[in-house]
Each structure stands twice: as C-alpha cells, then as structure tokens.
Amino acid sequence: MSGGIHASFVKRFPAGPEIRVDSFQTAGKAGVTVLFGPSGAGKTTVLRCLAGLSEPDEGAIRFAEQVWSDAAQRVFIPARLRRMGYVPQEYGLFPHLSVERNLAFGLKGLDIEKRRARVAELVSWLGLQDLEKRLPGELSGGQQQRAALGRAIASRPDLLLLDEPLGALDSPTRIRLRVELRQLLREAGTPAILVTHDRTDALALGDDLVVMNNGRVVQQGPVQEVFSRPASLCVAEIVAVETVQSGRVLEAGDLVIVSVGDHKIIALSRGLPAGATDVFVCIRAEDVVLMKGEAAQSSPRNSFAAIVRGLIPEGPMVNIELDCGFTLRALLTKQASEELTLKPGDRVHALVKAPNVHLIPRIGAGDGASDRPCTKPH
C-alpha cells in the first residue's frame, strides 16, 4: 500500500502528562522510522496511539487513504482492524503456545493448508527450524525476538510497529541482534516504526528519526542529518552531541568564523539564518581527528593545540577529554589511541573540518526555542 502515516493528535492522562504530536509523518516506503528520545518523552504512548491500543483525545491519524482515528468525527478504528503488526517491549509471545502456534495466531482467516505453508515460510526465513514445537520459555532472547517479529508480519501487514525491540537484551546479545534485526526488517519489505532511547540502536536501525521530548516532537528527518545537525540545544542534548560551546559570529559568508573564548572556529553557513550573531557550536566527538606534531592544512579545517585531560574507555572506543582553551571531546578506536600513546597531560593537535562544525542560532538571548535546554518529564 502506498502512502505513510500522517498524524497530528493529543493524548491526555488524568493528573498526568499531555502528549501532543503537532506533526508526524512517515514516507510510504519500506523504511524504518525511529521514535527516539529519553525515557518519559512519550514515545510508547505515540506508538500505542498509532497501533490503535490507545485513543487520542484530539486530532487525527491517517495511514495512506485510511482514517484510523479522528476525534472530531468520532472515528476510531481498533487495533484488530488496522492492517499493522505490533511487537511490544517484552515480545508478547503467548507462553503456552509453541513457536509455530504463535506464528499461526494471526492467520485464522486462512485455510489450514495456507496457514501451514505460511508458518513454514516464516520458520525458514527466521532461521527457527527445529524450534517449531518449543515454548517461548525454551527459547533464547534472539529466538524470541525472531518469533515475535514473525508473528507480527505473518499476515503481511501494511505497517510494522516495534516498541524497544532490543531493550530486554543483555549488551552482547543486543550488539549481535541489532545487525540481525536490521537485516530482517529490510528483507520484510514492510514500513516500520520503532521506539528506542538508545543512540546506537537508532543509528543502526533507522532511516528516519523522530526526536521526542516531554511529550512533543522536537525534530524529524533522516537519521544521520538529525544526529549531525540538531535543530536546537534540546535536540543536541538528546542526541548526545559531545561538544556544545557558546560562540559569537565574527564573519559570515560561505564560511562562517565564530569566536569561542579566545579561539576562532570555521564552519559552513548552511542553515544559519542571515544576521545571526550568537550561536551554539556543536562538534561530534567522532569528527575530531587527533595527531601529534605539526598539523597540516589541506582543506577548510580547524586546528587546535590541546592538552589531553582524560581518557575514558567505552568498549572498543576511547572517549578523550581535551583542553583547547575550551573543552572538546574526541572519540578514537582503542587501537588509534594506543598508536598515539595518549595519556593525560599529552599535547596534541585536534583537527575538525569545517563541514563537521554545526551552528545552532541563539535567538533573543534565551527567548527562542532553539536555545533552550531540554525540559525534564514530570
């Protein structure tokens, strides 16, 4: 089915938060849209409203040509009548049913031979051979995930909804299944909306990102664009931009020169409103290159003399805190850090290309939405 989700709605809770989605859209293609944000942002509530498990108090939800919910017209299509598959946080497999009976649960409209054929097709695709007779409690976390995904897409829905599909897994299993889940979603060819608060999951699984905070959608767009170019200080905080510094525009053209303390930083002007003078300078740690010795200039690039203040191991990576006259963070592989023989007190050069410096305008000395930090959930 062509088309995607078009939603604008409000969901209220007695003596609780208000979830207000002013505009939420997905493309009508077989991609993955990630609902991303901190715990309590309203992501699961939005997913439940899209699924028909919760009814909005205002507004409308449309999928392609179908009206799923319209409060003004008193229209509400329940979940069972929406052609969508839903995978809850804990997978929701029926504990008393075998794998094959879980997979067959949504196929009651088919005759027995077609049902058996579809279950066999799913078992083969999901790699669940020889596990058909097992109960969910006899499966590993990864096998349960695959069975839950299979049950959700068994009836060939037009939309797939997944709530924190990797949230119940330990870290090693999560890393392995992240790749597996992405492959399965691609092979399924069904548009999907997935909830997560994990940055790595969002980057690995998503095509488009919808960032939520305190019950509001605060930015949406392609995953890499949102992570690299947050629209506000709040979004920069949510997507964990490691370096955010206040700056002032000194010169503006195709290249913008910004002062941060006593230092000058070069950035591209893209997206910066004409006449902007006060900005936030955002630099992702993975975009910082470190070297010892003299720094060569090859393209529009910033070079800062820095002192290593600390090294924090993060799995295969090392997060490095630098003092450049302002605090800057770099993220290197463990091997790269060892090759540089980095230790606290070392003097290095930190290099950042101009396209990797993102500027967020500060509006009206704190009056604009772009320069407000995130408000915390109640």
Side-chain angles (χ1 to χ4, degrees):
M1 177 176 291
S2 62
I5 288 282
H6 295 266
S8 178
F9 62 88
V10 177
K11 177 63 182 177
R12 298 187 181 92
F13 295 91
E18 175 185 274
I19 308 301
R20 180 176 292 273
V21 177
D22 294 325
S23 177
F24 176 84
Q25 297 185 32
T26 64
K29 59 183 181 180
V32 178
T33 298
V34 174
L35 275 170
F36 180 76
S39 298
K43 306 181 298 297
T44 293
T45 297
V46 169
L47 198 74
R48 288 179 59 82
C49 287
L50 297 178
L53 300 173
S54 186
E55 184 173 357
D57 297 294
E58 296 179 15
I61 299 172
R62 293 175 174 82
F63 179 73
E65 303 302 319
Q66 304 173 16
V67 178
W68 279 357
S69 175
D70 190 327
Q73 300 298 321
R74 297 186 178 180
V75 173
F76 181 73
I77 306 301
R80 68 181 184 278
L81 299 179
R82 302 184 187 191
R83 284 194 48 78
M84 60 88 199
Y86 182 75
V87 180
Q89 288 190 24
E90 302 295 333
Y91 304 140
L93 294 168
F94 298 112
H96 61 292
L97 298 183
S98 65
V99 168
E100 62 182 1
R101 292 181 66 192
N102 265 286
L103 293 174
F105 185 81
L107 301 173
K108 294 180 180 178
L110 299 180
D111 63 50
I112 190 166
E113 290 303 319
K114 289 183 178 178
R115 196 182 311 167
R116 285 175 177 169
R118 178 59 172 157
V119 168
E121 179 185 1
L122 289 167
V123 166
S124 175
W125 173 59
L126 295 165
L128 295 173
Q129 296 94 331
D130 302 324
L131 302 175
E132 300 97 319
K133 304 299 182 183
R134 291 193 185 182
L135 297 175
E138 299 170 325
L139 303 176
S140 69
Q143 291 164 347
Q144 288 183 32
Q145 182 195 73
R146 280 179 273 157
L149 181 62
R151 188 182 64 180
I153 67 173
S155 61
R156 296 185 171 88
D158 295 321
L159 180 68
L160 184 61
L161 305 175
L162 304 97
D163 192 0
E164 296 276 7
L166 301 174
L169 303 174
D170 59 75
S171 183
T173 305
R174 188 186 191 111
I175 293 170
R176 177 172 53 84
L177 293 187
R178 189 182 287 132
V179 177
E180 184 176 301
L181 178 59
R182 178 59 178 171
Q183 183 63 30
L184 289 172
L185 290 174
R186 285 187 183 278
E187 291 176 359
T190 302
I193 299 175
L194 180 152
V195 163
T196 186
H197 65 273
D198 184 274
R199 176 175 178 264
T200 306
D201 288 352
L203 285 165
L205 298 173
D207 298 299
D208 294 296
L209 194 75
V210 177
V211 183
M212 293 195 66
N213 182 62
N214 204 26
R216 304 290 190 273
V217 173
V218 290
Q219 188 174 350
Q220 52 187 315
V223 168
Q224 288 293 344
E225 178 181 315
V226 176
F227 273 96
S228 299
R229 301 180 57 76
S232 67
L233 185 60
C234 174
V235 177
E237 180 183 324
I238 292 171
V239 301
V241 175
E242 293 86 353
T243 297
V244 179
Q245 296 286 340
S246 296
R248 187 168 183 82
V249 175
L250 300 177
E251 298 179 27
D254 291 338
L255 293 177
V256 180
I257 300 177
V258 180
S259 66
V260 174
D262 296 329
H263 294 267
K264 292 181 180 179
I265 296 178
I266 300 172
L268 299 188
S269 61
R270 59 189 179 192
L272 187 68
T277 56
D278 295 302
V279 295
F280 291 106
V281 178
C282 301
I283 302 172
R284 298 221 68 108
E286 59 261 36
D287 292 327
V288 179
V289 176
L290 298 185
M291 63 179 298
K292 290 184 175 180
E294 289 301 316
Q297 293 282 344
S298 59
S299 62
R301 175 181 291 214
N302 301 284
S303 176
F304 309 109
I307 299 174
V308 176
R309 294 302 187 197
L311 296 91
I312 303 171
E314 296 181 354
M317 310 298 289
V318 180
N319 192 313
I320 300 165
E321 181 181 344
L322 304 164
D323 182 355
C324 304
F326 61 91
T327 299
L328 178 68
R329 289 193 174 273
L331 192 66
L332 272 62
T333 64
K334 189 174 295 184
Q335 179 179 345
S337 178
E338 290 172 353
E339 288 175 353
L340 287 170
T341 62
L342 292 176
K343 61 184 182 301
D346 280 356
R347 294 185 179 274
V348 296
H349 284 279
L351 309 179
V352 184
K353 292 184 177 180
N356 293 332
V357 179
H358 174 56
L359 303 178
I360 298 173
R362 299 179 63 187
I363 303 171
D367 294 331
S370 66
D371 55 359
R372 294 174 188 160
C374 292
T375 54
K376 302 302 180 183
H378 299 296

